[in-house]
Amino acid sequence: MNGELICEGKRVHYEIHGSGERTILLLNGLMMTTASWKPFRKELSRDSTLVLTDFFDQGRSERLPDGYTHSVQVALVEAVAQELERRHGRSRFALAGLSYGGEIAIQYTLAYPQRVRRLILANTAGRTSSWLRTVGEGWNAAARSGSGEHYYLAAIPGIYSTRFFEERADWMAEREQALVRYFSQPEVLERMIRLTDSSRDYDVVHRLGEIACPTLILSGSEDGLVPVTEQQLLHERISGSVHVTLNGSGHASMYEVPDAFAALVAGFAALGDQSISI
Amino acid sequence: MNGELICEGKRVHYEIHGSGERTILLLNGLMMTTASWKPFRKELSRDSTLVLTDFFDQGRSERLPDGYTHSVQVALVEAVAQELERRHGRSRFALAGLSYGGEIAIQYTLAYPQRVRRLILANTAGRTSSWLRTVGEGWNAAARSGSGEHYYLAAIPGIYSTRFFEERADWMAEREQALVRYFSQPEVLERMIRLTDSSRDYDVVHRLGEIACPTLILSGSEDGLVPVTEQQLLHERISGSVHVTLNGSGHASMYEVPDAFAALVAGFAALGDQSISI
Amino acid sequence: MNGELICEGKRVHYEIHGSGERTILLLNGLMMTTASWKPFRKELSRDSTLVLTDFFDQGRSERLPDGYTHSVQVALVEAVAQELERRHGRSRFALAGLSYGGEIAIQYTLAYPQRVRRLILANTAGRTSSWLRTVGEGWNAAARSGSGEHYYLAAIPGIYSTRFFEERADWMAEREQALVRYFSQPEVLERMIRLTDSSRDYDVVHRLGEIACPTLILSGSEDGLVPVTEQQLLHERISGSVHVTLNGSGHASMYEVPDAFAALVAGFAALGDQSISI
Amino acid sequence: MNGELICEGKRVHYEIHGSGERTILLLNGLMMTTASWKPFRKELSRDSTLVLTDFFDQGRSERLPDGYTHSVQVALVEAVAQELERRHGRSRFALAGLSYGGEIAIQYTLAYPQRVRRLILANTAGRTSSWLRTVGEGWNAAARSGSGEHYYLAAIPGIYSTRFFEERADWMAEREQALVRYFSQPEVLERMIRLTDSSRDYDVVHRLGEIACPTLILSGSEDGLVPVTEQQLLHERISGSVHVTLNGSGHASMYEVPDAFAALVAGFAALGDQSISI
């Protein structure tokens, strides 16, 4: 089912798939929408209930005026969480996020630890490093040129691995066509700029030690955007976390190694509240 | 429930945990028994039915005279599979194995492809390399000394990572005591020698291309016994396989990173018969 | 000493540093000139003679009209080699190249194997993969915008690691200023476009097996432009090659880990004509 | 030339090869002697003067009674250094060591920093971890069995990579024969036990921050004895160190990738007293 709620005076789109006892709340990456998870809906809702949502400036959620930071997206997640509790009696969930979604997931967990049974961070950093900030400036410079083609060339190759580009050449060609068309809408590029800017000053490295729930860190060995070293930093700081590398995968790990991604998200989310003790 | 069947005229012990629609058949490593999986039973049987078995010369299955190879263990797995079909109406399953169990799992899949929905190979090689054969000779030389302490020192450190040895010093100390006592039984060392010898000429690298079901290869970054390079070989040869590295884990990955191990086995086994298509 | 010669009717700049018995010919990366090696001149000419040159469209060598490929740069290297032989009596040398320079070095070695004692390939690929071609299109799109700032943002971050960006923030800030000024010259951007285009159809993977001299492959673990996987491909195909990873280094390994870079180039170039035999 | 000096009342063997201006003092691993470096003498003394020595209980240096620690080997190195100064006017040198030799090199550098221009640590740990201590106990248990064959099987496979075992099967077979014969001498096994025991309580991790000279850390990606993680610890603690991985190499990196080993040692040792500044 699809739902809508109001947060910060704006409409927020969310979806509920399946009816399993346990709940997975899965957060989009920057350039994704709830529709991006279509290939995963069935598998991720087989034994659990899967909840998806569009962040502000994504998909079917409303636009936000310029100048916001991650905190408003954290508020959006809590609005969805309250709806889940009120309407569906689910007050706790496994929280998963990819990249931008992982960054929001970390901050949500710090703000609402009682809601998060387990945390899954895919291709996620604990901060916007000066390097990543500069990369984002490159995306925004391309966006300001107004050319969908330039934006595609600036933002997309860094997301995929060399291997995937070759093995899935047809898929990438279709995707290029679709994305260039999509990015050619001025309104879309404005949203991309705002979402990118909202990450500008993100840095929670010093607070990672507060995370207490079982946490899975999921890296792509070929991730050119959030390199494995940034994810090792998460692993070192989040006590008791486990760190898994998807070999051969770039940043968009859910598309590059879908079975491994789905297995890890569904499998880790389904485990008990405590880590397995041997 | 525990069950017993006869294969090659010998008693074979097996166990069934849970009652989920899908089935996972999980095969022991060389020095394990069905009891070794105790910490995982609950999680691996939450949404699936978990089947365990002791190989010949392990746990509660009967001893075999000297000189056998892997093929008799493959026959044992098929005997369990037939029992599952006859008594429980389950003709297909996800097949998972760790190390020795993974080696048998590969050969079982080659012999009975129609039974294996999905294949999970943890810390598994496609062959006994000349290096590994020499390591095994070292174990057997220690076993022939008759000293449980020597055998412990020869065979166990290579199974764990430096990190685990330190972080779980108490657990390792208890384990050392228990294992030295266990290995001090001449009959146990004889079984270890036979099991090790049964792997001596194992090499199915040239047949890996025949495996057609979705396959997960699960490595420990610190595996000193079956190094990641041997598992990359599996990945290169098994078309469409996915390769995941458990960072910081040695050879006994289920004990070193239990949540990641359980998430991957349960999660991958629960996916559909086909790989997710994007 | 600086020298000049004519190749393809155009002036070519080269330099000779030191007077050691053995010779190292070191080839620039795409965005470099002979001046970029200034910090390395002393160390690389301590025990050997160091020869540097600017490719066409680089530094003090002349421009070339649009539409050339790598082959003309290979011809330039042979022109320098002939000058070395004629004027300095040096007919053989260790050949080293970084990135674009490594690509030319491979092709030179295939064309003039008798001249190359030893080959050193730093941050080098055996082909322009479809992924790398798309990245180059992004650079050229930014170049065609005519903005030095856009070009900097499109082309430079991918060359450095996250770690280096942070540890050397002051150096990067100076460099940004200098490069934005440099790239703001239309003539410079035109050269960059031509150099990038000259790599478009580069692919010698199928010929790598012909290389017979001792070869060193030198990777940066954090190289976001020529990922380690591409350099593993060189290693697999070049028989008897050795493959070394500079941990923590991005694509510009000579700047990120200068001591390790200089040690490997000077040390490997100084070894005898045959690999050490044990 | 070969030389002999007296340290702690015992004869110490040392050798000087070549006559280059700069000096490399290269320290043996546990199971090596000065003779083990024979394939490297020529290359390492081409542009530098190479100094080798046997530790107490190695090769042509005298035996020591049971119960010593690393400190007596550090004293031996200083005795060699004083001889170098007195007889050859060389008061400073690049200090390199492999494994056991690297451990002594670290402690020598901490004790005599004014003598060490540059430090090279190949396959070296900053401590004897509890894991490594247990491995050493396994070696000593095999040694106490009195069987050269057992000792070979216990101690040698962990030193080489799977790849090397296969590619150099003939060399390994010869080596096995020679080593089994060598280890079959009771006196040799006694020395091995004492050398291994001398490392038992080694731990200088907390002092690594005091090392101020340019330092190279050289790992083998397949080192099963001193895993890369232990060498990352050196890199993190020794400020300004560079960390290089020799891909495909096990613990005996000088034998597995001789050209890369020689290039790094000779090249790094020849650089100036200060790290190259860019």
Side-chain angles (χ1 to χ4, degrees), chain D residues 57 63-64 66 68 140 143-144 151 183 185-197:
Chain D
D57 271 324
R63 315 296 158 245
L64 270 196
D66 201 12
Y68 60 88
N140 284 356
R144 290 199 185 92
Y151 191 72
F183 292 144
Q185 305 168 68
E187 198 253 354
V188 167
L189 291 179
E190 283 159 24
R191 280 189 268 149
M192 290 298 147
I193 290 172
R194 289 194 297 266
L195 284 162
T196 300
D197 279 344

Side-chain angles (χ1 to χ4, degrees), chain C residues 15 22 24 34 52 55 82-83 86 95 159 162 232 257 264-269 273:
Chain C
E15 304 177 7
R22 284 164 187 251
I24 306 172
T34 52
L52 303 174
F55 287 123
Q82 290 183 8
E83 193 84 352
R86 204 160 39 227
L95 182 61
I159 292 176
T162 297
Q232 284 167 339
V257 283
L264 277 161
V265 171
F268 195 80
D273 286 14

Side-chain angles (χ1 to χ4, degrees), chain B residues 15-147:
Chain B
E15 304 178 7
I16 298 180
H17 301 276
S19 58
E21 190 192 340
R22 287 169 183 246
T23 311
I24 305 172
L25 175 46
L26 174 57
L27 301 178
N28 303 335
L30 187 81
M31 298 191 191
M32 297 173 69
T33 71
T34 51
S36 310
W37 297 111
K38 193 165 175 228
F40 296 90
R41 275 185 214 155
K42 186 178 153 197
E43 295 292 6
L44 294 182
S45 65
R46 188 189 296 282
D47 297 312
S48 297
T49 298
L50 174 68
V51 182
L52 304 173
T53 187
D54 284 321
F55 286 123
F56 291 118
D57 271 323
Q58 284 190 332
R60 297 157 73 180
S61 290
E62 264 192 283
R63 315 298 157 243
L64 270 196
D66 202 11
Y68 59 88
T69 66
H70 283 177
S71 62
V72 71
Q73 309 284 23
V74 172
L76 176 151
V77 176
E78 174 58 8
V80 174
Q82 290 183 8
E83 193 83 353
L84 277 177
E85 184 162 21
R86 204 162 37 229
R87 296 203 175 216
H88 305 274
R90 294 166 187 270
S91 57
R92 300 181 77 226
F93 40 80
L95 181 62
L98 181 111
S99 194
Y100 188 88
E103 298 177 4
I104 305 303
I106 290 174
Q107 292 165 94
Y108 183 82
T109 304
L110 289 168
Y112 304 95
Q114 75 288 358
R115 290 226 189 259
V116 184
R117 291 180 56 246
R118 289 183 159 254
L119 178 61
I120 298 167
L121 304 172
N123 306 85
T124 296
R127 55 176 188 155
T128 300
S129 67
S130 59
W131 179 84
L132 191 54
R133 188 154 45 237
T134 310
V135 168
E137 287 168 10
W139 296 3
N140 283 358
R144 291 199 184 92
S145 81
S147 158

